């Protein structure tokens, strides 16, 4: 946990864009490519207009890998399912501020379970909602597309948002990851890491890359994160 200068960026491929009958293969590809985390997109068909996977699938993935499982909960009433995702073996649970009536309580529920807590903001959600987010939060996720689907285009306005959040993180001296999610590839990794992102989710760009090891090395080479 750090936001110290010159830390290497974390690459977190999202399995949303894979063939779900071949999840083990997808996780093996992430490991072999030298990526850092597995990003798992959980959608409930209410908070976002798509329905994906739940705790049993996270448990199956947990049995196949030792990689850090970064679970992005795009669901309403996350408190009801947090214990199941904890039991399934998630390492980090990220909840949306837009989906939590009692965000402070939800964060406590996650951290008391011994799992890292993250907080996510949709593209149109202003940064000021973070002002009273507990210091126990270990990651802030800025959505750089509207959540629900892989393969969308990066919303360019988000670069300024990343920059402002990085300034705030540095100003408050918080030890928190700045994750971005949606439309990230070798074409814009430099822009977003220069702005201050240090955890990069890549779904379609990773899984469409013919040589995934090379893709991860390129992402690291092109990133210019300097804290
Ligand atoms: C979108 C998901 C993302 C998505 C990213 O709701 O949260 O994690 O899978 O996919 P790409 O990289 O294709 O935009
Ligand atoms: Zn995601």
């Amino acid at each position: 946990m750090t936001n110290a200068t010159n830390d290497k960026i974390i690459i977190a491929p999202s399995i949303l864009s894979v063939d779900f009958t071949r999840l083990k293969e997808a996780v093996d590809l992430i490991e072999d490519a030298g990526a850092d985390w597995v990003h798992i997109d959980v959608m409930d068909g209410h908070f976002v207009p798509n329905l994906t996977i739940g705790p049993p699938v996270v448990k199956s993935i947990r049995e196949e890998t030792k990689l850090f499982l970064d679970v992005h909960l795009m669901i309403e009433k996350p408190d009801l399912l947090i214990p199941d995702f904890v039991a399934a073996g998630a390492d980090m649970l990220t909840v949306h501020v837009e989906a939590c009536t009692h965000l402070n309580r939800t964060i406590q529920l996650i951290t008391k379970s011994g799992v890292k807590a993250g907080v996510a903001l949709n593209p149109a959600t202003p940064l000021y909602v973070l002002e009273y987010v507990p210091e126990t939060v270990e990651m802030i996720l800025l959505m750089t597309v509207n959540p629900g689907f892989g393969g969308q285009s990066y919303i360019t306005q988000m670069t300024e948002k990343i920059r402002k959040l990085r300034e705030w993180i540095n100003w408050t001296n918080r030890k928190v990851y700045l994750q971005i999610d949606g439309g990230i590839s070798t074409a814009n990794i430099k822009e977003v890491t220069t702005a201050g992102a240090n955890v990069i989710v890549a779904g379609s760009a990773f899984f469409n890359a013919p040589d995934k090891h090379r893709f991860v090395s390129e992402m690291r080479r092109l990133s210019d994160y300097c804290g």
Side-chain angles (χ1 to χ4, degrees):
M1 175 51 42
T2 175
N3 65 347
T5 303
N6 292 330
D7 276 325
K8 80 169 185 134
I9 61 156
I10 288 168
I11 307 287
S14 159
I15 57 167
L16 183 62
S17 53
V18 308
D19 175 348
F20 280 3
T21 63
R22 297 163 68 187
L23 273 179
K24 177 167 168 31
E25 237 174 89
V27 171
D28 288 346
L29 285 171
I30 294 172
E31 282 187 3
D32 296 346
D36 305 289
W37 295 359
V38 180
H39 183 82
I40 303 176
D41 287 307
V42 175
M43 304 183 183
D44 66 353
H46 294 278
F47 181 67
V48 288
N50 196 2
L51 190 58
T52 56
I53 60 183
V57 178
V58 173
K59 183 169 183 281
S60 299
I61 296 171
R62 174 77 295 158
E63 284 160 10
E64 294 300 333
T65 185
K66 289 190 165 45
L67 282 183
F68 188 91
L69 298 187
D70 164 33
V71 179
H72 178 191
L73 298 178
M74 285 162 277
I75 62 175
E76 288 177 0
K77 298 188 172 63
D79 297 29
L80 300 177
L81 282 170
I82 283 165
D84 292 346
F85 282 107
V86 169
D91 292 297
M92 166 101 76
L93 289 173
T94 298
V95 294
H96 271 260
V97 294
E98 304 87 357
C100 297
T101 311
H102 303 288
L103 182 63
N104 188 296
R105 178 183 289 147
T106 304
I107 300 302
Q108 285 184 45
L109 180 62
I110 298 170
T111 53
K112 281 184 180 159
S113 308
V115 167
K116 294 181 191 304
V119 162
L121 271 60
N122 283 334
T125 302
L127 291 173
Y128 66 72
V129 299
L130 295 169
E131 189 171 357
Y132 295 103
V133 157
E135 299 240 355
T136 49
V137 163
E138 300 199 36
M139 185 166 78
I140 297 166
L141 162 55
L142 293 186
M143 288 306 300
T144 45
V145 297
N146 288 299
F149 305 95
Q152 302 181 79
S153 299
Y154 176 78
I155 298 171
T156 52
Q157 208 188 4
M158 294 302 103
T159 304
E160 188 202 336
K161 194 176 182 185
I162 297 166
R163 203 174 291 123
K164 282 189 175 155
L165 178 55
R166 170 53 61 195
E167 274 173 20
W168 181 75
I169 290 171
N170 290 351
W171 177 71
T172 56
N173 216 18
R174 284 193 176 217
K175 303 286 175 249
V176 66
Y177 291 114
L178 197 173
Q179 181 178 56
I180 52 165
D181 185 6
I184 311 299
S185 69
T186 50
N188 56 11
I189 180 77
K190 185 165 174 58
E191 176 178 331
V192 294
T193 52
T194 302
N198 62 352
V199 182
I200 312 298
V201 177
S204 46
F206 178 85
F207 283 102
N208 289 338
D211 181 337
K212 290 161 181 53
H213 195 274
R214 195 192 184 104
F215 172 82
V216 171
S217 309
E218 269 301 275
M219 292 286 271
R220 293 201 200 284
R221 189 181 67 76
L222 292 166
S223 70
D224 195 15
Y225 173 69
C226 57

